[in-house]
Amino acid sequence: MSPLGLIPSDISLNAAIAICAVAFMSGTARGFSGFGAALIFMPLASSIADPRLVAALLLIIDFVAAAPLLPNAWEKADRKATAVIVVGALIGVPIGTYFLSRLEPVTTRWIISAFVFALLLLLLSGWRYRGKDHVAVSIGIGGLSGFCSGLAQTGGPPIVGYWLGRPIPSVIARANIVLFFGASDFFSAVSYAATGLITMDAIKFALVVGPVYGIGVWFGASLFGKASETVFRSICYALIAAAVVFGLPALDGVLR
């Protein structure tokens, strides 16, 4: 089958190329700084294609990319603490998925833009949770992240802000984050499959977009240590802000 046969029929070749370009840019941000992929990809790609297809596409790509990291994360993570937050995701993911499957695409795009803008402000604020460990807080943060993931695959900032603020070694914090998102992606995959969001179109299109995203991750990782992290993070923030603006439904057609 040719690459053209993997592109959904309702997406033009130019639109597919644009989505691949967004995937490369998102992957580069992820590879260098470790964050920002979904916050860039979702608003921009959703302005080109149906948000339901775009969310499923990103879920498939991320699920495959993160799988090799799970065994090591399982060994190093605080599994008991992570399990408490995972309970929140178990609640939040299906709720977010429900809204994604029910809302009109334009409404979803407005929500995605608003969510990503709020999450950008969270990143810019440098917020870290410094309070005491409470089961209710952990479940609440997991639920918020799960809801963001179910709706738009943008559940990173709340979890990152929480774990990086805890008085634990960075190796354990990173392992907790990776393990949490492994569970969250699994819940999303089940929820998306149950609601019909994971389609053959999404799976086939992932075969086109996924490698481009992977090349972006590799390219971004290769830049690490060769460029100023402060400058690159600032560029990532600017790209996220631009993604919010260009992803607004009011600018419909700009990227098409």
Side-chain angles (χ1 to χ4, degrees), residues 122-202:
L122 183 66
L123 288 171
L124 289 172
S125 72
W127 175 82
R128 297 290 185 269
Y129 179 74
R130 308 293 185 184
K132 297 180 179 180
D133 288 327
H134 291 290
V135 172
V137 172
S138 297
I139 292 176
I141 291 176
L144 174 61
S145 178
F147 177 79
C148 293
S149 293
L151 178 66
Q153 296 302 304
T154 53
I159 289 297
V160 172
Y162 177 79
W163 279 121
L164 293 186
R166 312 309 300 136
I168 58 177
S170 59
V171 173
I172 295 178
R174 183 180 183 277
N176 290 350
I177 292 169
V178 171
L179 194 59
F180 170 84
F181 280 113
S184 179
D185 281 352
F186 175 76
F187 297 154
S188 293
V190 173
S191 295
Y192 278 30
T195 52
L197 292 175
I198 294 183
T199 62
M200 282 306 301
D201 278 347

Side-chain angles (χ1 to χ4, degrees), residues 7-236:
I7 300 173
S9 59
D10 58 342
I11 295 180
S12 68
L13 179 59
N14 288 339
I17 293 173
I19 291 174
C20 286
V22 171
F24 177 80
M25 181 169 56
S26 304
T28 300
R30 174 74 171 271
F32 185 92
S33 64
F35 76 95
L39 302 184
I40 295 171
F41 186 80
M42 282 304 300
L44 287 176
S46 293
S47 71
I48 303 171
D50 189 324
R52 288 168 287 201
L53 172 66
V54 171
L57 176 63
L58 183 58
L59 170 62
I60 295 168
I61 293 171
D62 254 3
F63 194 84
V64 173
L69 303 177
L70 292 177
N72 186 56
W74 178 263
E75 292 181 2
K76 297 179 179 179
D78 181 341
R79 295 193 289 270
K80 182 178 179 181
T82 304
V84 176
I85 295 189
V86 166
V87 170
L90 183 60
I91 298 170
V93 166
I95 297 174
T97 302
Y98 173 81
F99 282 104
L100 176 63
S101 65
R102 296 291 181 177
L103 294 175
E104 291 295 322
V106 172
T107 302
T108 304
R109 283 174 55 196
W110 277 113
I111 294 174
I112 288 173
S113 293
F115 257 60
V116 171
F117 180 70
L119 295 172
L120 173 61
L121 293 180
L122 183 66
L123 288 171
L124 289 172
S125 72
W127 175 82
R128 297 290 185 269
Y129 179 74
R130 308 293 185 184
K132 297 180 179 180
D133 288 327
H134 291 290
V135 172
V137 172
S138 297
I139 292 176
I141 291 176
L144 174 61
S145 178
F147 177 79
C148 293
S149 293
L151 178 66
Q153 296 302 304
T154 53
I159 289 297
V160 172
Y162 177 79
W163 279 121
L164 293 186
R166 312 309 300 136
I168 58 177
S170 59
V171 173
I172 295 178
R174 183 180 183 277
N176 290 350
I177 292 169
V178 171
L179 194 59
F180 170 84
F181 280 113
S184 179
D185 281 352
F186 175 76
F187 297 154
S188 293
V190 173
S191 295
Y192 278 30
T195 52
L197 292 175
I198 294 183
T199 62
M200 282 306 301
D201 278 347
I203 294 172
K204 290 190 295 184
F205 199 27
L207 296 176
V208 175
V209 180
V212 178
Y213 177 81
I215 292 171
V217 172
W218 170 83
F219 178 67
S222 71
L223 294 177
F224 189 78
K226 300 178 182 178
S228 167
E229 185 173 355
T230 300
V231 171
F232 200 90
R233 281 180 178 266
S234 297
I235 293 173
C236 287

